Amino acid sequence: MERIRACLLALTVVVVCGVAQVRSSASDHRYTAGDEVPLYANKVGPFHNPSETYRFFDFPFCSSAPVKEKKEALGEVLNGDRLVSAPYRLDFLGNKEAEVACKRKLTKEEVAKFRTAVSKDYYFQMYYDDLPIWGFLGKVDKEGKADPSEYKYYLFKHLIFEILYNKDRVIEITVRSDPNALVDLTQDEPVNVDFMYTVKWKETETPFEKRMDKYSESSSMPHHLEIHWFSIINSCVTVLLLTGFLATILMRVLKNDFVKYAHDEESADDQEETGWKYIHGDVFRYPKHKSLFSAALGSGTQLFTLTSFIFILALVGVFYPYNRGALFTALVVIYALTSGIAGYTAACFYCQLEGINWVRNLLLTGSLFCGPLFVTFCFLNTVAIAYKATAALPFGTIVIIFLIWALVTSPLLILGGIAGKNTKAEFQAPCRTTKYPREIPPLPWYRQTLPQMAMAGFLPFSAIYIELYYIFSSVWGHRIYTIYSILFIVFIILLIVTAFVTVAMTYFQLAAEDHEWWWRSFLCGGSTGLFIYAYCLYYYNAPSDMSGFMQTSFFFGYMACICYGFFLMLGAIGFRASLFFVRHIYRSIKCE
């Protein structure tokens, strides 16, 4: 337990340090007239494929000075950021008018490459004093042309930067293209391009502390807030209806059961028992594949802890808009530090179930989630390398992640497992388990595992599906999600609904004299993850415009891992709720 407390203390330190880093990073951006303010070109990619991005200078742009790469943190690299010095110089308070950044003669192949990019709506992203800016590479002229072969393709060669400042700090920057400065890319012919830019500085009264507010305005607009609150109201109504169902139906049935069983005890002793009391000698019989079950419970508990800490960081303001890589860094670090919780929970529960080979159980716990994630990453990283995209991780980053796993994750997992094994807590079963299991009576089709999972997963999914659209639009699109308080409320509602539904399904299963509830409760609790993955199919084909093998494989590959994580986490929540419920009802009756 001391090691687990030390792990949680380390997580708290990470939270505090993260907040301190955010606050300190917002105070070092002061300039005087003529100072060079850093402008970095990040990446280029098709607008509708967020995972398919390329380095800025993979395209035939030019620069008047040697290109310098910016040193990036782990989270930035995982996010696909590859910042390099941009070809434009934007000095503080230095206005410029149609200045030539550099000149380049494009070959036939380079013209064709730009034309393909323009036809696919490629955009570029830059960072100026840590403020993001975007722009499109060019435009397609389709006006009055029915045949695609008659379309005209143009490259924007003149960028206009408009920068707002407050005393000695940069507050806001926007970029737009001069619609009159175009380069015709329609024909495969060499062409000379003068890349130009204009810089306009304007003073504003907006304080530096609020310069990021404009990036969260879209999610804070009254229309979107109305939809968010509608989502919460819908979820709350679901919770209230479900709670009312349990209070009026389930509890009344349980009360009648208690009265009936108490009456049976006072009447003839040879009267045959029925219902869930009939299987009291089998309900606490340990499940099949208890090592796998304990590993799933440990992994789910770890993922729940990880999610809780991510919400803490979000609510205190660490993940402000375009804090590059902060989320990925937090995920990697907190997952590594919480591995001790997975080892402790799995080993402790496995030993309670009278398991012997706890070392194999720890190996299974460590690989249950990381294994599929590693296989998926290897495949998708290979795809990204084939596409030469920025999503392909450099070898050095892979080594760093491996060292974190080898030097932090694995030792903490082992220490947690040893602590769990040495806890020596006995499984608290209010009823004595018989030597031989009872035969389960034939059940109708709707009481089988898959129909029960479908019914158990639908209600929690219906409570969150409205919010899912905004999350998907943020992760797999260009919408910015900042209302973490609403997301946290929805998450709490998801946990409550999952626990209630799983308890109800467990009662119905026991009432049908089916005592194999352990795995069923885990599967019913985690079935919401399957509904989320089904929503992925809908989102890909309806709201989004994603296309191409790389984007499709990244979307379905990583969403499969995320949904699998939800399956483990919610499965652990559902089982814990069912275990508490089963212990309570069997403790309330007298069992022979």
Side-chain angles (χ1 to χ4, degrees), residues 1-14 309 336-341 408 412 415-416 419:
M1 289 298 295
E2 292 299 326
R3 296 185 179 94
I4 301 300
R5 292 193 186 98
C7 182
L8 293 175
L9 178 61
L11 284 174
T12 306
V13 171
V14 170
F309 273 98
L337 293 177
T338 53
S339 59
I341 295 175
V408 180
L412 287 178
L415 290 175

Side-chain angles (χ1 to χ4, degrees), residues 440-452:
I440 300 175
L443 301 175
W445 66 270
Y446 55 86
R447 290 191 183 274
Q448 301 296 327
T449 302
L450 291 179
Q452 293 276 296

Side-chain angles (χ1 to χ4, degrees), residues 239-552:
V239 172
L240 290 175
L241 289 176
L242 188 60
T243 307
F245 165 77
L246 286 177
T248 58
I249 304 298
L250 187 58
M251 300 309 294
R252 179 176 296 178
V253 171
L254 275 175
K255 184 178 180 180
N256 293 336
D257 288 345
F258 291 147
V259 172
K260 173 177 175 291
Y261 294 148
H263 176 73
D264 289 346
E265 290 168 5
E266 297 173 358
S267 59
D269 294 335
D270 58 349
Q271 184 174 355
E272 185 179 357
E273 296 176 343
T274 58
W276 53 267
K277 185 185 178 184
Y278 177 67
I279 57 172
H280 65 81
D282 298 275
V283 73
F284 291 104
R285 190 178 304 280
Y286 299 148
K288 300 176 182 176
H289 314 294
K290 55 188 175 184
S291 180
L292 177 61
F293 188 85
S294 303
L297 185 63
S299 297
T301 305
Q302 179 189 8
L303 292 173
F304 172 71
T305 308
L306 167 66
T307 306
S308 301
F309 273 98
I310 290 296
F311 270 114
I312 292 174
L313 291 175
L315 293 174
V316 298
V318 172
F319 304 133
Y320 61 87
Y322 296 101
N323 183 7
R324 295 191 305 274
L327 177 60
F328 287 101
T329 301
L331 286 172
V332 172
V333 172
I334 297 178
Y335 182 83
L337 293 177
T338 53
S339 59
I341 295 175
Y344 176 84
T345 304
C348 181
F349 197 77
Y350 180 67
C351 292
Q352 285 183 13
L353 300 183
E354 300 177 2
I356 299 175
N357 198 342
W358 65 275
V359 176
R360 186 180 65 181
N361 175 251
L362 275 184
L363 293 176
L364 184 59
T365 304
S367 59
L368 192 62
F369 181 73
C370 287
L373 181 62
F374 176 74
V375 172
T376 304
F377 163 75
C378 290
F379 171 73
L380 296 181
N381 202 59
T382 304
V383 173
I385 292 173
Y387 274 73
K388 298 181 180 178
T390 59
L393 295 187
F395 178 74
T397 304
I398 297 176
V399 171
I400 291 174
I401 294 177
F402 175 78
L403 290 177
I404 292 175
W405 176 82
L407 301 179
V408 180
T409 304
S410 298
L412 287 178
L413 179 72
I414 296 173
L415 290 175
I418 294 174
K421 169 182 169 291
N422 294 332
T423 301
K424 296 184 186 245
E426 295 183 0
F427 185 78
Q428 298 175 356
C431 300
R432 188 174 55 197
T433 302
T434 58
K435 187 174 182 180
Y436 299 104
R438 293 180 183 270
E439 183 179 355
I440 300 175
L443 301 175
W445 66 270
Y446 55 86
R447 290 191 183 274
Q448 301 296 327
T449 302
L450 291 179
Q452 293 276 296
M453 289 176 62
M455 288 186 282
F458 178 75
L459 269 178
F461 174 77
S462 66
I464 65 170
Y465 81 96
I466 296 178
E467 205 67 22
L468 277 181
Y469 171 78
Y470 291 95
I471 298 173
F472 274 57
S473 298
S474 174
V475 176
W476 300 104
H478 302 280
R479 188 186 297 270
I480 303 171
Y481 195 97
T482 58
I483 314 178
Y484 298 111
S485 56
I486 291 181
L487 184 61
F488 179 69
I489 295 173
V490 172
F491 178 70
I492 296 299
I493 292 173
L494 172 64
L495 298 182
I496 295 173
V497 176
T498 299
F500 281 1
V501 170
T502 309
V503 166
M505 292 299 171
T506 300
Y507 171 78
F508 293 142
Q509 181 181 359
L510 296 178
E513 300 179 7
D514 181 358
H515 56 79
E516 295 181 349
W517 63 274
W518 299 69
W519 274 109
R520 181 77 66 84
S521 64
F522 194 97
L523 295 174
C524 287
S527 59
T528 306
L530 302 179
F531 277 85
I532 297 176
Y533 198 70
Y535 180 82
C536 294
L537 297 172
Y538 162 76
Y539 182 84
Y540 180 85
N541 290 291
S544 78
D545 293 315
M546 292 184 283
S547 61
F549 177 74
M550 177 183 171
Q551 182 61 43
T552 302

